[in-house]
Amino acid sequence: MASAELIRKLEATIENIPDFPIPGIQFKDICPIFLQPKLYEEVIADLADFSRGKVDAVCGIESRGYLFGIAIAVALDVPFVLIRKAGKLPPPFISESYDLEYGSATIEMKTGHLQEGQRVLIHDDLLATGGTTEAAAKLVAKQGAIPKQFSFLIDLKDLNGQDRLKKFDADIYAVLKY
Ligand code: AMP
């Protein structure tokens, strides 16, 4: 669990950009965290503590899920597997499509990089509606691995993204809730 001090520092660092990229969205810009290496280290330590001893692999969702996901995997000494937007991975890979507010999106993952029965942490920077993370968990389950944990830097809790993840019976952690 993040200390009150870490939460205070992150709240002072993450920028809220109203009406970006479209009117009505409060965009959370996490980039200023990377200007403060010590703060970044504290975030990784907190996220790694949540998963230590509980997972065998980490999956990060493109692209901001990589910024913390790889460092979490290194801290835990477990493999990291990329979940990419459609069209970026060479074969062999599997795909999962999900609905957006308008239209749909597809994410992909290499086959053979996760092993059957592995307990997996799925990490992204931010949980909004949960559609992306739900699709990522389906990719993990399709390969016989177990979506065991979800972690985020930020949970926009009014959007109830956690409700879409309940079916996986996994632990969920967000450093910050807005
Ligand atoms: P969702 O599938 O609705 O949970 O959306 C999650 C993805 O969209 C994450 O990869 C976030 O990086 C991005 N995202 C959604 N809403 C925001 C927001 N308000 N600020 C920053 N990123 C967002």
Side-chain angles (χ1 to χ4, degrees), residues 38-99:
K38 287 279 175 275
L39 180 58
Y40 177 78
E41 264 180 20
E42 285 179 52
V43 174
I44 296 303
D46 184 63
L47 287 164
D49 279 351
F50 168 67
S51 296
R52 188 163 286 107
K54 298 189 175 140
V55 296
D56 308 302
V58 176
C59 286
I61 302 176
E62 184 168 355
S63 59
R64 277 168 287 167
Y66 303 163
L67 296 168
F68 299 95
I70 290 184
I72 295 167
V74 171
L76 299 175
D77 195 22
V78 299
F80 179 79
V81 181
L82 289 80
I83 294 176
R84 299 217 62 178
K85 291 173 182 157
K88 306 265 185 89
L89 285 176
F93 58 80
I94 55 170
S95 307
E96 186 70 35
S97 295
Y98 57 101
D99 291 334

Side-chain angles (χ1 to χ4, degrees), residues 94-112:
I94 55 170
S95 307
E96 186 70 35
S97 295
Y98 57 101
D99 291 334
L100 299 172
E101 197 173 355
Y102 299 103
S104 71
T106 301
I107 53 174
E108 297 174 340
M109 183 195 285
K110 296 284 291 186
T111 51

Side-chain angles (χ1 to χ4, degrees), residues 25-28 64 124-133 156:
I25 299 291
Q26 302 287 325
F27 187 84
K28 304 292 178 200
R64 277 168 287 167
D124 202 359
D125 67 321
L126 183 142
L127 177 65
T129 65
T132 314
T133 312
L156 300 181

